[in-house]
Every structure is written in C-alpha cells, then in structure tokens.
Amino acid sequence: YSTVPYHPESPFLDKMTRKTGKTIFVTVGTTQFDKLVLSATSTLALEWMKEQGYTTLKIQYGRGTKPEICHASSSSSPLEIELYDFQPSLEDDMKSADLILSHAGAGTVMEALRMNKKLVVVINTLLMNNHQTELAEAMAERGHLYMVEEPEALNERKAWESFQDFSPIPHQGGDPFDFP
C-alpha cells in the first residue's frame, strides 16, 4: 500500500483540501486489468480529475502491474494517489468514493449499486466469453451505471467528459430482470 502525492510544486497536500475534495476509486477486483489502470493514471485522466475537483485517486490494481504515475506538466491543485494490489475489503474505499471506475465484475458492480454510487464500468475485452458485457449492458440500459465498451476509449478526453454529468438511477435490488 503506498500513497503518492501528485503536485509538481509540492510533495505535500493541504489536509483541508483533502477534506473538501472528491475521490475517484479505480478497482479491478481479483483480476488483472492493466489497460484500465494505465488509462486512469494517464496524464489526460489525471488532468481531467483535477479539473473536476477530485483531490484523491485510489487504485486497487489487483494481479496487475503497479502503475507508474505520470506527472502532468500543468497543475493548479494537488492530487493524492493511493495504490494497492489487494485488501481484505474494498467497502471503505467504495463508500468514500464520489466516482467508482471499475471492471464489470458482478460482485463489484452489485456492491457499488447497493451503495448508490456513481459507477463507470469498463469492459475487460481480454476476458474469455466476455461475460462482463451482459451485466454491464443490462445495468447501463436501466441507467444504473455508465458503460465504457473498451479501455482504449479512456485514452480520449471525450470519454471522460461523457460520464462527467452521468447521474445514475438508484438500484432498488431484488429485480428479477437484473441479470439477463
């Protein structure tokens, strides 16, 4: 578990900024999904996060490679980045997040929906049979989450901007039509 302050002018964060800022939590669950992690730590993504008022980025990278953090050339506010592979529970990080950017695994999706969190799922196109697509499409059609069809889409600013104003419809649970 490590914390990396992200600010060219200062390696330290103002504690008051952290309390008033927003948090993005990126999770890949127990899998390896380096493309999602790399996209979420790109200069483009980090700049978008800061522009939207995010001050903390937490990344659970699972079995993948611990990301090297890109430092953008222009910075008007600090962005604290916390990285870890696994923890006994992701519940605290999910609860504290203003936005969850995730793989489309059933456990993660249903947990985020149960918490009524703003959830953006990215399909891991490398998985066999791509079972994540069915769940993600069903939940996206109902307005419970925003779906990104492939991680490469996050390499363009328009993808980040497209879910900026997404407001999810709360999931009530117990819907027999949730799983196709």
Side-chain angles (χ1 to χ4, degrees):
Y1 191 92
S2 61
T3 300
V4 180
Y6 173 71
H7 193 275
E9 289 83 29
S10 170
F12 304 103
L13 286 173
D14 177 351
K15 291 180 182 176
M16 295 304 292
T17 303
R18 212 176 341 169
K19 290 180 183 175
T20 59
K22 299 188 296 184
T23 298
I24 290 184
F25 178 51
V26 177
T27 178
V28 302
T30 59
T31 66
Q32 179 177 346
F33 196 3
D34 288 344
K35 287 183 178 183
L36 172 58
V37 173
L38 287 171
S39 294
T41 56
S42 69
T43 300
L44 176 123
L46 297 174
E47 288 296 329
W48 178 87
M49 291 173 199
K50 290 188 306 170
E51 289 168 12
Q52 301 308 310
Y54 290 95
T55 56
T56 303
L57 169 62
K58 295 181 180 184
I59 300 173
Q60 181 267 323
Y61 56 90
R63 292 190 173 116
T65 305
K66 183 177 180 178
E68 303 247 348
I69 305 302
C70 301
H71 291 282
S73 57
S74 64
S75 178
S76 58
S77 63
L79 182 61
E80 180 180 298
I81 301 173
E82 299 176 19
L83 308 166
Y84 61 91
D85 54 1
F86 297 103
Q87 284 189 351
S89 173
L90 302 180
E91 185 176 2
D92 289 342
D93 287 334
M94 291 177 85
K95 283 182 178 177
S96 69
D98 297 285
L99 171 64
I100 298 173
L101 183 63
S102 174
H103 69 126
T108 304
V109 168
M110 297 314 292
E111 185 72 8
L113 295 180
R114 184 182 64 76
M115 294 180 186
N116 292 318
K117 289 296 182 174
K118 183 174 183 175
L119 175 64
V120 174
V121 297
V122 181
I123 304 300
N124 188 344
T125 54
L126 298 178
L127 291 180
M128 290 176 52
N129 300 324
N130 210 351
H131 64 279
Q132 293 187 353
T133 303
E134 291 179 43
L135 173 63
E137 285 177 348
M139 291 297 158
E141 286 173 10
R142 291 172 176 85
H144 300 311
L145 57 81
Y146 188 94
M147 184 180 86
V148 177
E149 293 186 16
E150 58 185 15
E152 292 81 7
L154 294 175
N155 296 328
E156 296 184 31
R157 185 172 178 89
K158 66 181 179 181
W160 292 91
E161 291 171 349
S162 68
F163 56 79
Q164 171 180 329
D165 295 323
F166 171 69
S167 182
I169 297 170
H171 180 261
Q172 301 303 314
D175 181 350
F177 300 104
D178 275 349
F179 293 97

